[in-house]
Amino acid sequence: MDQELYGKERSASLDLLLRFQRLLVSKLYPADCVGQIPNTYSPDLLGVGSLLKKYTALLCTHISDILPVATSIACTSHRHFAEVSCVVDGDLTGILLPELVVSIVLLLSKNAGLMQEAGAIPLLAGLLEHLDRFNHLAPGKERDDNEDLAWPGIMGSFFTGQSCRNNEEVTLIRKADLENHNKDGGFWTVIDGKVYDIKDFQTQSLTGSSIL
């Protein structure tokens, strides 16, 4: 960390907050130890968890104040959105928040009980609505949403072993097409990005449609 190069526009106080945030995460990261009783935490560890919660609360309060103002300015035009995005990217929202979210997810996967004791996760959930409103102003959002709802699929029977061997047999099936087909009595499913028709297998299966 001592050799890490920071941007010239980043303030010293912001660098200090980033180091403090990383220090909290490193103290909470479980070390390999022998003889520890499961689900028991030392007072020092619980103290660090409480400090992380207070830190997260202060950070979320700041971001909750910033994002509504940023959204109100960014909705004026695409140019305003680009300018505001640059400002937000250099603020606590763009520097501290992404790393904090990733760190908390990592800590949650390593020690879920301790993170539940700390109580920092519910505080981050309060930012979702503010972030969603701001991100919906991004130019090209509708195009990106349409692309997210489409994926390449192969029409064929999975259980008969049929496969497509040329590009003419490959088609694009959108999510709406799959939902409409299933509403009409069909039974399409998606496995690893490919669409399979398992209607015939449904009548032979003893597991029931809910499991399929």
Side-chain angles (χ1 to χ4, degrees):
M1 287 178 56
D2 294 335
Q3 298 178 356
E4 183 175 356
L5 299 178
Y6 295 103
K8 295 181 180 180
E9 298 180 356
R10 189 183 301 175
S11 65
S13 58
L14 192 55
D15 289 340
L16 186 62
L17 281 174
L18 183 59
R19 289 174 178 267
F20 175 71
Q21 176 175 297
R22 292 173 176 175
L23 179 63
L24 289 177
V25 173
S26 66
K27 293 296 183 182
L28 290 172
Y29 194 83
D32 295 331
C33 56
V34 180
Q36 182 178 2
I37 302 175
N39 298 326
T40 59
Y41 313 108
S42 65
D44 292 341
L45 200 58
L46 292 175
V48 176
S50 177
L51 192 57
L52 176 65
K53 180 180 180 180
K54 294 179 181 178
Y55 169 81
T56 305
L58 292 173
L59 180 62
C60 290
T61 300
H62 170 79
I63 297 176
S64 297
D65 293 338
I66 292 295
L67 282 181
V69 178
T71 302
S72 64
I73 299 175
C75 68
T76 306
S77 66
H78 291 338
R79 180 176 175 274
H80 284 80
F81 178 84
E83 295 292 339
V84 170
S85 297
C86 292
V87 175
V88 171
D89 190 49
D91 184 66
L92 277 67
T93 308
I95 296 176
L96 299 181
L97 181 62
E99 186 171 316
L100 178 64
V101 171
V102 173
S103 299
I104 288 183
V105 171
L106 176 63
L107 291 173
L108 185 63
S109 66
K110 293 293 184 179
N111 197 333
L114 178 60
M115 294 309 298
Q116 290 177 357
E117 288 282 345
I121 298 177
L123 299 174
L124 293 172
L127 296 178
L128 293 178
E129 184 177 353
H130 296 297
L131 291 169
D132 192 54
R133 288 178 180 174
F134 182 79
N135 290 331
H136 271 70
L137 298 176
K141 176 191 72 69
E142 294 80 5
R143 183 187 68 250
D144 294 338
D145 286 346
N146 291 333
E147 291 176 356
D148 289 341
L149 293 177
W151 66 93
I154 295 179
M155 292 300 298
S157 175
F158 173 73
F159 296 98
T160 57
Q162 297 175 357
S163 60
C164 298
R165 295 174 179 249
N166 57 66
N167 293 332
E168 293 180 355
E169 295 176 12
V170 178
T171 185
L172 183 69
I173 300 176
R174 300 187 180 276
K175 184 178 180 181
D177 298 332
L178 185 142
E179 293 176 347
N180 291 332
H181 179 81
N182 289 345
K183 287 179 181 179
D184 294 335
F187 209 124
W188 287 354
T189 187
V190 182
I191 303 175
D192 293 334
K194 298 179 181 179
V195 180
Y196 297 98
D197 188 353
I198 60 174
K199 180 67 176 178
D200 294 338
F201 183 77
Q202 179 188 6
T203 59
Q204 306 172 11
S205 173
L206 300 178
T207 59
S209 299
S210 59
I211 296 180
L212 289 178

